[in-house]
Amino acid sequence: MHDSAVSVPARLRFSRPSWLSPKVLRTEVLAGLVVALALIPEAISFSIIAGVDPAIGLFASFTMAVTIAVVGGRPAMISAATGAVALVIAPLNRQHGFGYLVAAVVLAGVMQIVLGALGVGKLMRFIPRSVMVGFVNSLAILVFMAQVPQLTDVPWAVYPLFGAGLTLMVLFPRITEAVPAPLVSIVILTVITVAAGISVPTVGDKGALPSSLPVPGLPDVPFTLDTLTTVAPYAFAMTLVGLMESLMTAQLVDEITDTRSSKTREAVGQGIANIVTGFFGGMGGCAMIGQTMINVKVSGARTRLSTFLAGVFLMVLCIVFGPVVSDIPMAALVAVMVMVCFATFDWHSVAPGTLKRMPVGETAVMAVTVVCVVATHNLAVGVVTGSVTAMVVFARRVARLADVTAVTDPDGGQVVYAVTGQLFFASSNELVGRFDYAGDPDRIVIDLSAAHIWDASSVAVLDAIEHRYAQRGKTVEITGLNGPSARLHGSLSGELAAAG
């Protein structure tokens, strides 16, 4: 009886969520507030790119963040309206109207759920590290490039404010880390500009903030097959871009926090969040690398609470504190984003010592990824191109490891060819020329004990070698095949030439 009375509170105590501890709670709340402040100008900018009212982007950021906090697979990652998604769906909005855009967002959400359930998240293991590094570095460059217009053709007072913001974020953590330095910087610079009456670009100059919560409803489109065929291509493009950016960001946060997350749940969660966003009249979105880095790397958030509060604070700031938020100088937010760029960029990857030790192919893959992303402003293009380049580099490297050595018996009765390495399309094609068909004795042994057959191309090459010897009345014996190689060779040998 006594044991039972003690064990129940103990179980309750151990099952308490980590974010209920005062220290973690403070970190998560303040991180959410900083992210919300950084989301406002970004969401408005992306709304302009998509050709919709600023409130649409802000609503999308609110619903995406709140929903993904519950259903997503990666705690502390921020999802909201993004530039990548805005670029994809902007042409649809221009050509067919806002109703079709919303329909595309909902359909994209359904597609993301389907792809997530089919295991698209598992494809992340095929993304090489060099592509990941290129992805991170290119994002840092893109975020930085997006800030440059905020620092050109502006009043001179922007520059000292920008410098003061950077200085505060560098020095304040040395005093205390209890309050995020970006939040301190934003508050101080806002107070200075308002109190001194300094005329500089503010958040309010980006567009009007919403004064009420979004209302759910169905997309204003005819529910016909014609509508489906119109929105499907845009929805599919949004699906791929959104999933790729979200899963890559989730992988990055996994590495930063040294934790694992469910990529399948994240993919499905992105779909659910986009469906919810679509029904609330939002423009859709996906994971945001810049705001995620503010949340995880700069502010130290680790739980879903920060993501949820980022969405809640976003609406509270817009609806309740709209006039105050409108007075925040853009210089303060630009300073925050520039600090995020420096924190995000993998400086070690471009250090002379690293470049000297790193294989040329790895560096080339990283560079290709960065150049493609920066040139196209499309993360999907960069990641796919980088991954394909990495596969080509890998294939060339492995192909060189395949080798053939010949040993003739003293009596001259047979020759043994020892083949070593990985046999696949890139390496096996060169094997044909490594045998002395005319000069070899009547019996040839091809020893594959130190090799592995990976594909039909290799089986076809072995068949071709046997055929050339057979034309000269010589016999070939293939030995040493391991289990998988023997099964592949047994099922395909002799069949490929006939099929061709």
Side-chain angles (χ1 to χ4, degrees):
M1 193 74 156
H2 177 71
D3 290 343
S4 175
V6 173
S7 63
V8 172
R11 281 200 301 271
L12 289 174
R13 187 166 61 249
F14 286 117
S15 65
R16 184 180 71 174
S18 61
W19 50 265
L20 281 179
S21 94
K23 183 178 180 181
V24 174
L25 184 61
R26 182 182 68 240
T27 300
E28 300 294 312
V29 170
L30 292 176
L33 180 57
V34 174
V35 170
L37 289 168
L39 276 173
I40 293 173
E42 295 270 303
I44 294 173
S45 298
F46 299 147
S47 299
I48 295 169
I49 292 173
V52 298
D53 190 80
I56 303 300
L58 291 165
F59 288 156
S61 296
F62 163 62
T63 53
M64 285 293 298
V66 169
T67 307
I68 206 69
V70 179
V71 300
R74 174 64 258 178
M77 192 169 81
I78 303 297
S79 291
T82 59
V85 169
L87 287 169
V88 169
I89 58 176
L92 179 63
N93 183 55
R94 282 197 303 270
Q95 296 168 20
H96 299 280
F98 181 65
Y100 282 82
L101 182 151
V102 173
V105 171
V106 174
L107 182 58
V110 174
M111 290 179 175
Q112 287 176 334
I113 291 174
V114 172
L115 288 179
L118 291 175
V120 69
K122 294 177 182 176
L123 294 177
M124 285 304 299
R125 59 185 167 186
F126 295 107
I127 305 294
R129 181 186 178 279
S130 49
V131 174
M132 274 296 298
V133 173
F135 167 80
V136 170
N137 290 348
S138 58
L139 277 172
I141 294 170
L142 284 183
V143 173
F144 180 80
M145 288 171 60
Q147 311 312 310
V148 173
Q150 307 296 335
L151 297 173
T152 54
D153 297 324
V154 292
W156 69 267
V158 167
Y159 302 109
L161 286 171
F162 172 70
L166 292 177
T167 304
L168 278 168
M169 282 183 285
V170 171
L171 298 180
F172 189 78
R174 300 181 184 180
I175 301 171
T176 177
E177 294 186 355
V179 181
L183 180 58
V184 174
S185 176
I186 291 169
V187 171
I188 291 177
L189 294 185
T190 303
V191 170
I192 290 173
T193 53
V194 172
I198 303 173
S199 179
V200 291
T202 63
V203 170
D205 296 332
K206 284 284 185 180
L209 301 180
S211 57
S212 62
L213 289 170
V215 178
L218 294 174
D220 185 18
V221 294
F223 290 88
T224 62
L225 184 60
D226 185 54
T227 300
L228 180 63
T229 55
T230 300
V231 302
Y234 297 95
F236 187 63
M238 178 183 163
T239 297
L240 296 182
V241 169
L243 282 181
M244 188 167 292
E245 187 163 349
S246 299
L247 294 176
M248 293 286 281
T249 304
Q251 183 80 8
L252 177 61
V253 177
D254 285 357
E255 293 179 9
I256 292 173
T257 60
D258 196 23
T259 57
R260 296 183 65 184
S261 62
S262 170
K263 303 304 180 294
T264 297
R265 180 176 172 181
E266 183 58 44
V268 172
Q270 289 290 331
I272 295 171
N274 272 306
I275 290 174
V276 171
T277 298
F279 283 130
F280 275 91
M283 56 182 272
C286 60
M288 297 190 77
I289 183 71
Q291 276 67 17
T292 297
M293 289 300 101
I294 291 175
N295 198 44
V296 174
K297 207 163 187 178
V298 179
S299 302
R302 291 293 182 270
T303 77
R304 298 175 184 275
L305 183 63
S306 56
T307 306
F308 180 81
L309 290 178
V312 172
F313 284 149
L314 176 64
M315 280 294 99
V316 172
L317 288 169
C318 291
I319 296 171
V320 181
F321 299 102
V324 176
V325 172
S326 296
D327 287 335
I328 295 175
M330 285 301 299
L333 296 173
V334 170
V336 171
M337 297 309 295
V338 168
M339 282 298 293
V340 169
C341 296
F342 278 95
T344 302
F345 196 91
D346 187 347
W347 297 102
H348 178 70
S349 67
V350 295
T354 304
L355 295 175
K356 192 179 295 183
R357 290 190 299 270
M358 192 70 68
V360 175
E362 299 281 323
T363 303
V365 169
M366 179 186 73
V368 166
T369 305
V370 170
V371 169
C372 288
V373 172
V374 173
T376 64
H377 285 231
N378 190 319
L379 296 167
V381 170
V383 171
V384 170
T385 306
S387 297
V388 171
T389 305
M391 290 175 191
V392 173
V393 170
F394 174 76
R396 285 176 57 84
R397 187 181 302 159
V398 175
R400 293 195 188 102
L401 298 178
D403 196 21
V404 179
T405 55
V407 177
T408 306
D409 280 0
D411 60 2
Q414 73 172 15
V415 61
V416 178
Y417 284 93
V419 181
T420 59
Q422 308 300 313
L423 302 185
F424 64 110
F425 62 90
S427 61
S428 59
N429 288 333
E430 297 182 2
L431 289 181
V432 178
R434 302 292 296 274
F435 294 82
D436 186 3
Y437 302 100
D440 282 341
D442 291 342
R443 177 175 165 76
I444 296 93
V445 177
I446 301 177
D447 182 8
L448 297 176
S449 301
H452 186 97
I453 299 175
W454 287 103
D455 60 4
S457 297
S458 302
V459 176
V461 166
L462 291 173
D463 282 355
I465 293 169
E466 288 189 77
H467 179 67
R468 289 195 183 189
Y469 276 117
Q471 287 178 321
R472 293 168 172 80
K474 302 176 182 181
T475 60
V476 175
E477 180 187 3
I478 297 176
T479 64
L481 288 170
N482 58 31
S485 298
R487 285 191 291 273
L488 183 64
H489 184 265
S491 63
L492 295 179
S493 182
E495 302 294 327
L496 298 172

